[in-house]
Amino acid sequence: AAAPIAPADPGASRRVALILRQIDSLPTLPAVATRLLTLTASEESSAREVIELVSSDPPLTAKILSMCRRSNRGVREEAATIDKAVVLLGFNAVRNAVLSIKVFEVFQNRPKQADPSLAQDEAGQDAGLKPFDRVGFWRHSVAVAIAAELLARAGRGERNLPPHEAFVCGLLHDIGKLALDHILPRSYCRVIELTELNQGNISEFERRVIGLDHHTAGKRLAEQWQLPQIIHDCIWLHGSSYDTLPQLEHRRMIGLISLANLIVRNQHIGYSGNFVFKQEVEELCHALSLDGERVEQIRDELHAEFVRRSALLGLDEAPSEALLLASLQQANHALGKVNAALHRRTATAARQGQTLEAITHFHSNVESGRNVQDVMADVAASAASVFGAGYYAMIYHPGAIDQGEPDWLVCQYDQRCKPIRAQWIEPPPGVGDLAGMEPGEPAAMTLMAVLPWIADYLVESADLRRVRLLPLTCGWGTPAVLLHDRQTLPPWQQLVALTATWGAAVAAAGRHDAAKRLSEQLAETNLALADAQDRLLRQESMARLGEMAGGAAHEMNNPLAVISGRAQMLVEALPRDSDHHKSARLLVEQSQRLSDLITSLRLFTDPPKAVRRTTDVGSLIEKTIKKLRAELPSSLVTFPIGVTLKSKLPPVSVDPDQVAAALKELLLNALQSKPATMVQVTVRVDEDDRLLIFQVADDGIGMDGHTLSHAMDPFFSAKPAGRQVGMGLPRAQQLAAGHGGRVELRSAPGQGTVASLILALDSP
């Protein structure tokens, strides 16, 4: 597989600034070349100015005369002069030759690093890295210059396509590559290695490895050399799609350089370092309105013209046949690299297909709504299908999902990836959260800190030294870790896709479980809230009833006292056998009943305070039952009442009168339910909660749901109208509240009733 591309450094902007500063510090273009460019670009310049300029540089003069001799135009060495050379070669030939020679001289030697940061970064060159082919680069540049010049001539002498300018633009179009290699040779070797390995676009890898591409570096160098704007634009924008180029004055020249570059690369002349063809020759010819047949002729003539020009410049001594053979060899070599890259990409695609198939199969097996342990078992089975059979276990951390559970869940699986054990454990000291583990990196966590801690739980592993940990990370964190003993895993890209898929599934299941638990908690909270609201409504009703009862009792007490007193006087005065005597006695009884009712209502107006004193429970129950039987009508006296003390109860601190009154109401209610056998009283003390609990159970007719829900309401009675007042159980509830307690009922029709009087032994 192709080597992964290194991500940009965090300080990429600072590094780019250092590189641009190094470009600005490169030697400037010699004054002779700069002045010559200015002279030959002006229509007012003369041959004499060019001759004087070249003659001022003796080494340059010697090279120009050498070019004349190589041109085989009959110039004798003893008679050769610059005047004759300019006449024979022409302004443009001299201009192009001088510029080529001077640019070559600038980059002959590598300078020492001016910036310590870049010097440290570039210290030492790896022996395994392929260096930048400078000879091949110059061949490519000269070939592009020649092709551009020939194409410009084929443009029928258009004003914006002068051949001599086309040559210079073609010669310098890739000068940024030379500048980057000159400044950062080690990094640029890495760029070349990655480009050839991936058969990609060199500009892309320059930006990823260095931080900027040769287009930007070349433009910056052209600005530093103060070259004409047309050269700036060709260096910066060549290779861009012609349709996307802005409407610049030199737009056609930029397209011409792009076309020349494509032709030279197709002919495999020199070394460009680029393997991506963004445009086609025919498309560019059509966009530039160039004759396709003439372009084909230029392509056929290019090798021969390149050999002739290279010989003049002294760049290449190889004959044309050898150069053609070298081009063919380079083409075959490039074709071999393309085939190798295709094989690598095919293998990568096959692995990616296997990964995609595994992900698809995993998703098809994982049903929505499954719990975490089931999904983790699916993850283990999917891992076994990709990595191979072996040992697998999972660590799950709910706290990475909902921050609610600090412990880890460790699950182990057999050879068929069936769950065999699941256990909650405390996380290792210092490794309380899995979120810090990086995806796809088996060595990202400290094995020495985790494996020994969970070694006691991994009993199915044959050799703990072979166990590896693979974090399963998604956008929500790292909810789980896969433990396995596989030594070979898929490539990094495929591994990240798998771990992200598995991690997302585990995280989703964890959130589903958390939502389910939250839903259950909300349901319980809603029930508790409903109970609290019901109790609040009851309390509000009791408060309103108390206010009403207080006012009614105050207004009725005085008239009732008069009625009761006068009725008692009539009873004493009237003959006992008369009907008037019986009526007077009935008035006395009903007055007393009404007085008792008013007294009961006062419980809601001014609840009594418990006056606690040490009381023997057994004696209290005995006296209460005895008093009750004395007051019962004859129809209820026959029902037996049994008493059971769970243990020998010690004396307790309660208000005996209030407890007796409350217990009496519960017993009376039980006897009135017509028990089939008896009424049973059970008493016990809950020492943990400090409660005294009386239970009065009967096997009578019981209560339906409606009766049970309103049993504590004042004046409510399920018996026929006029039979009962309906204040017994509410009175018992108020008396229990004075002890910080309550009355609870459990009943069903035909199954009897259990009434519990629960009192706090400690003062509320």
Side-chain angles (χ1 to χ4, degrees), residues 30 42 77 80 130 163 206 232 263 268 277 331 390 396 412 416 469 507-508 514 541 543 599 608 649 731 751:
S42 174
E77 182 176 355
K130 180 181 179 180
E206 288 169 342
H232 288 203
I263 292 174
H268 298 282
F277 292 85
Y396 170 64
Q412 296 181 78
R416 295 178 299 172
L469 291 87
S541 299
T599 303
L649 298 177
R731 184 163 47 239
Q751 298 181 12

Side-chain angles (χ1 to χ4, degrees), residues 535 539 662 666 684 686 689-695 712 729-745 755-760:
R535 288 194 299 271
Q539 291 174 358
L666 298 184
R684 64 184 178 89
D686 187 339
D689 295 330
R690 298 292 296 159
L691 298 175
L692 175 63
I693 302 173
F694 296 86
Q695 280 191 341
M712 296 298 177
L729 290 176
R731 184 163 47 239
Q733 177 78 313
Q734 289 297 102
L735 292 171
H739 284 74
R742 62 192 183 277
V743 174
E744 293 182 353
L745 299 176
S756 299
L757 176 63
I758 303 173
L759 308 174

Side-chain angles (χ1 to χ4, degrees), residues 621-642 663-675 679 719 724:
I621 296 174
E622 182 181 352
K623 291 178 180 179
T624 301
I625 295 175
K626 184 177 180 180
K627 183 177 181 181
L628 176 64
R629 287 194 180 280
E631 298 175 357
L632 286 175
S634 58
S635 60
L636 300 180
V637 173
T638 58
F639 291 109
I641 299 176
L663 183 59
K664 177 182 175 183
E665 297 293 348
L666 298 184
L667 288 169
L668 180 59
N669 196 71
L671 292 172
Q672 290 174 344
S673 70
K674 299 178 181 180
V679 174
K719 299 177 176 62
Q724 297 292 334

Side-chain angles (χ1 to χ4, degrees), residues 470-511:
L470 182 63
L472 307 183
T473 304
C474 66
W476 300 337
T478 304
V481 174
L482 175 67
L483 287 77
H484 63 92
D485 61 355
R486 302 293 84 200
Q487 302 301 309
T488 303
L489 297 180
W492 187 80
Q493 294 89 341
Q494 285 81 39
L495 191 60
V496 168
L498 288 168
T499 55
T501 300
W502 296 335
V506 173
R511 291 206 166 183

Side-chain angles (χ1 to χ4, degrees), residues 69 84 97 101 212 268 283 315 342 392 412 431-432 452 523 592 607 700:
R69 290 192 296 272
K84 186 67 174 178
I101 292 169
L212 75 163
H268 298 282
E283 294 178 1
L315 292 179
L342 287 176
Y392 290 97
Q412 296 181 78
V431 194
Q592 184 61 42

